[in-house]
Amino acid sequence: MRIMHFAGGGDIGGAKTHIISLGCELAKGNDFHLISFRPGEFAEEAKEAGLQVIVAEKPWSIPDCLRVALQAVDQFKPDVIHCHGAKANLMGVLVKKRRGIPLITTVHSYPRKDYMGMPLKQLVFGNINLWALKHMDYYMAVAGQMSNYLIENGVDPQRIFTLYNGLDFSASQLQPIKRDDPDRVVLGIAARLTAIKNIPTLLEAFARARAIDPRLYLRIAGTGEEEQSLREQVKDLGLQDAVEFAGWITDMPGFFAGVDINVLPSFSEGFPYSLLEGAYDRCPAIASAVGGIPEIIDHNETGLLFEPHDVSTLTAHILLLARDPQLRRRLGDNLWQRARRDFSLEKMRETQEQVYASVLRRREHRGKRWGAVICGAYGRGNAGDDAILQAITSQMREIDPDMPLTVVSRNPKDTRLKNRTGAIYTFDLFSFWHRLRRSRLFINGGGSLIQDVTSSRSLYYYLFTLWMARRSGCRVLMYGCGIGPIKRRFNQKLAARILNRNVEVITLRDSNSRRVLAEMQVDKPRVILAADPTVNLVRSGRIGVASSFARESIPADAPKVAFCIRSWPSFIHPEYLAAAADHVYNSYGFLPVFIPIELPRDVEAASRVIQSMHVPYHACTQRYNVDELIGMLGSMKLVVGMRLHSLIFATLGRAPVVALSYDVKVSSFIRDIGGGHCMPVDSFTAEELIAAIDDVVAAGCPRAGEARECLLHGEECNIAAARGLLEDDR
């Protein structure tokens, strides 16, 4: 590829390191040119690193900078232009408008927080940058939190890529470095001395900690406009003999070799290089939980986190690490291993090259129908529906990772953040039609959408979307869905007519739905018995499950039974479930845990059961990701579930289940996985439920693996159907 980067030329600190190191990596296998819109240190260092650098000699002149950029672009003819910083962004947009080359920008920091403490620069350069950012084609975010920021500010998630900073760990020491003075504990910070780095908070916490432990010493590496005020603060705190201003440091390994604890208290960060540079020398880190920092620092695993204004917690963290060299060593080793594995230069280059390739592939689809619109009961806070959407989007990206996806959702903003897709409001029919006209595939996605038990209105809505999708020219697929019950005769005839005339393929998640379609005489679409889309999702690991339980103060190692209850008119005897919960604790020592699938409704239903209980229990009240739910439910000795997806998640995690069926979809699921205990919610007794629990506890779960494999095999039919429709349309 022919790659050109634009840089303002005044870049310092992490931004400078990122641009030059990434450029050197990209130049190894590509034609790479860099334009610096200012002469000086940055341009000279880039040249010394071996990069082909073009310098604009009149940085104050926008016309001259644009002339230099256009001449370089016309001569080099890059496939992509990649910008870094406000001035480069402006130049990139001006060039794009004249040459039409795909334009990417790396967002190194939060734009609205740039130039913090410099109101004039913030007003001028900050607003210019915000304007330029709106005209970019694609965005590189240096951390996942930066991606969230961009999405929350209106950027299409499908135009955002995440690239973590990388460092060369090839020469990193395999053994911990011995510090010079064992009687001194040295804290270090390497940062620009600006307001956003929040160094006054560090000085205050350091003063408090040193009053307790006089061995503490602080080294500050960096320069900036806050230096004088920081020196005055050091004097006011009486820390002149304990704080060293080391100035601008170029030998970062040498600096951190003399540091015991790396501290970064910033108000805002993208993905800071100083944490990687400290990790190179196995320095344990104390850092504020902002921006991309939590993506490298796991609290108590690879470092310690605190909130930026929390002086007391920062003080406590400093004292904890100062007094415990073994903890320092463990955290430092863990951080080194994590950084070396996930944040190397090679990883950074590979990711960036994949992004460029994706950008060029997407360019080939300009002006053509492409992508999919996904419609379902999304954006309502139901974990089961969220899981369906997560599964469908991951499967579509398996078919084509560049495919644009649009989700019809009750909460578009939340859907964009969670799924990194486009999203439109459920009843915004104008936008719906517009997206359909640009897409190739319409997916009526998962769940029991074609039914009139909840209301006829929802049935009419989903039938209308199928009709509208076909009228727009989309291929139409109903994906891993459930059908029925449809009670009213008129609704049955209407549904059959719409499905026969507009749908090409229907994949079903249960055998009962196939029977319902046959009774309705739906015979035109190809009908395939598959599985619920969620069965391809993976469970959270052991550490992740323990962390989820810790959020609710639930002991991770205690044997547990999960109860997943929902409100339903025929669920009139919560005391029967309470008796069963008491029984599992008294007879087996299993701790009852109530886990909601839909908030807040399931919490309210669980409270009705809890009122009649007489044993200890835990009731979860927080919202969990799908992988966390699968991990939590899979770790149970038993899951007693009304919610269909609680039973699916438990089966995926190989936990035995006892089902309380409020709908035919629940009993059909139990039958399809090979049988088990399932009783109607409107007529079960406490004795029957306790007997079923005793039977499962005695038998264990001998068919758990077989049931899981049955689900996974069925799910392959869903993705095959989608791939077939997309390929047939080419």
Side-chain angles (χ1 to χ4, degrees), residues 302-324:
T302 57
L304 301 176
L305 296 173
F306 71 101
E307 295 303 319
H309 291 287
D310 191 349
V311 177
S312 297
T313 299
L314 177 54
T315 303
H317 286 349
I318 292 171
L319 289 170
L320 175 64
L321 289 186
R323 294 167 171 172
D324 192 339

Side-chain angles (χ1 to χ4, degrees), residues 573-581 583 660 679 683-694:
H573 290 293
E575 68 274 13
Y576 295 170
L577 269 172
H583 174 73
L660 297 176
M679 54 198 73
S683 61
F684 80 98
T685 66
E687 291 75 20
E688 289 173 333
L689 180 55
I690 289 172
I693 290 172
D694 288 341

Side-chain angles (χ1 to χ4, degrees), residues 485-500:
I486 304 178
K487 301 291 188 181
R488 297 176 60 188
R489 183 62 181 165
F490 171 79
N491 290 346
Q492 292 175 4
K493 290 184 176 181
L494 177 64
R497 180 176 179 141
I498 295 293
L499 297 185
N500 277 325

Side-chain angles (χ1 to χ4, degrees), residues 24-265:
C24 290
E25 286 295 308
L26 291 171
K28 292 177 180 178
N30 305 277
D31 290 331
F32 180 87
H33 281 194
L34 170 66
I35 297 181
S36 173
F37 293 104
R38 179 191 298 180
E41 181 180 330
F42 170 83
E44 294 306 314
E45 284 194 27
K47 290 177 182 179
E48 290 172 6
L51 296 177
Q52 182 71 37
V53 183
I54 301 155
V55 180
E57 299 294 341
K58 299 178 181 179
W60 61 87
S61 172
I62 297 300
D64 188 71
C65 289
L66 180 59
R67 178 187 58 79
V68 170
L70 289 172
Q71 287 179 353
V73 166
D74 290 340
Q75 182 177 0
F76 183 56
K77 293 181 172 51
D79 296 313
V80 294
I81 296 174
H82 189 155
C83 305
H84 303 267
K87 189 170 186 178
N89 289 340
L90 174 62
M91 292 296 105
V93 171
L94 295 177
V95 170
K96 182 188 102 168
K97 290 181 178 294
R98 289 161 175 80
R99 299 295 185 265
I101 299 169
L103 188 63
I104 307 170
T105 182
T106 292
V107 186
H108 292 274
S109 58
Y110 295 89
R112 296 187 185 278
K113 294 183 179 180
D114 286 343
Y115 310 108
M116 188 174 177
M118 296 175 282
L120 182 59
K121 285 188 176 181
Q122 195 169 44
L123 177 65
V124 177
F125 299 116
N127 284 320
I128 289 175
N129 192 34
L130 289 173
W131 175 85
L133 286 171
K134 293 178 182 179
H135 294 81
M136 292 290 165
D137 295 321
Y138 298 98
Y139 303 80
M140 299 300 307
V142 294
Q145 286 300 318
M146 186 66 74
S147 296
N148 292 344
Y149 170 85
L150 292 171
I151 295 169
E152 289 169 350
N153 282 272
V155 177
D156 182 351
Q158 297 172 113
R159 295 165 59 200
I160 302 171
F161 301 92
T162 299
L163 176 71
Y164 293 101
N165 289 333
L167 199 67
D168 182 5
F169 282 90
S170 60
S172 180
Q173 294 288 331
L174 297 179
Q175 298 296 327
I177 293 175
K178 295 181 180 179
R179 309 304 178 194
D180 295 332
D181 188 351
D183 296 324
R184 173 183 279 185
V185 178
V186 179
L187 279 66
I189 176 171
R192 290 176 289 116
L193 305 187
T194 60
I196 204 166
K197 297 300 181 179
N198 192 28
I199 299 174
T201 294
L202 170 58
L203 291 175
E204 185 176 345
F206 176 76
R208 294 186 188 182
R210 193 171 189 278
I212 299 171
D213 189 341
R215 297 178 304 144
L216 291 170
Y217 188 84
L218 174 62
R219 287 179 180 155
I220 301 174
T223 59
E225 61 274 9
E226 295 286 311
E227 181 172 348
Q228 186 56 41
S229 64
L230 293 173
R231 288 182 179 275
E232 292 174 0
Q233 184 182 1
V234 168
K235 183 177 180 180
D236 292 341
L237 292 170
L239 297 173
Q240 297 94 317
D241 296 332
V243 177
E244 172 190 345
F245 285 87
W248 189 256
I249 298 291
T250 57
D251 179 16
M252 296 312 298
F255 174 76
F256 281 110
V259 170
D260 297 292
I261 304 168
N262 185 11
V263 188
L264 189 63

